[in-house]
Amino acid sequence: DQKAVEAQQFWLACTGLEAALDTLKPLMGEVTRVKTVATPGDSFVQVLVASLSPLALDRGVYSVDSLNERFCVVEKKARQVAGIGEEGGSLLSYGLSYLQAVLTVDLSQRSPVEEEDKVDLSNASTSDLLSMAKHSLDKDNLARTIQYMTLLKGEPSRVVEDWLAEARLTMETRQAAQALLTHALVEGVDSL
């Protein structure tokens, strides 16, 4: 009975941590609660808790909805500077890149490709990568979106780097919380 109660408390602490990920608030309290109610000497929990970013513990992480909203702004800015390469550019090249973004028809409402496996990403343009990233984010695939955004080069990569850092932090923290929750479920089943 005692083991079942402890497993239930651990599960509740893990669900509290996962629920806190939808708010931009410090996670230190929830993580401390998870550590407190976890089985003493549970190395899996210790490793997962140690893997959490200090930034996530002190400040919290953005929700996926917040990242979606921010992506719209970042995507627009990245499209505006899509013509600027690694070395930067002159005022004229920035102007031409902006003009190109204004005159380009947005086809991102359609699925960019039928099968992503058949796309040669080494030859994909900035516009293609941004469209595939947007499509992936619309399908709630944050990991794939991060992969596409990481492939950007030049000025667009500098525009999206803050969003990418926040998206990675959110994804890493969510994965750790989901692993803890799964571990709690296994402990709950074992206690029966």
Side-chain angles (χ1 to χ4, degrees), residues 76-88:
K76 182 179 178 184
K77 297 292 182 196
R79 285 187 192 279
Q80 290 173 351
V81 295
I84 310 300
E86 292 285 337
E87 66 284 342

Side-chain angles (χ1 to χ4, degrees), residues 89-128:
S90 66
L91 188 57
L92 178 63
S93 61
Y94 275 91
L96 290 174
S97 181
Y98 177 79
L99 184 61
Q100 180 184 7
V102 169
L103 296 176
T104 302
V105 177
D106 183 19
L107 298 175
S108 61
Q109 301 302 336
R110 296 184 300 165
S111 173
V113 289
E114 292 301 318
E115 294 181 31
E116 292 178 350
D117 298 340
K118 295 181 180 179
V119 176
D120 182 16
L121 294 176
S122 62
N123 294 329
S125 69
T126 299
S127 180
D128 293 339

Side-chain angles (χ1 to χ4, degrees), residues 58 90 162:
D58 295 337
S90 66
D162 287 342

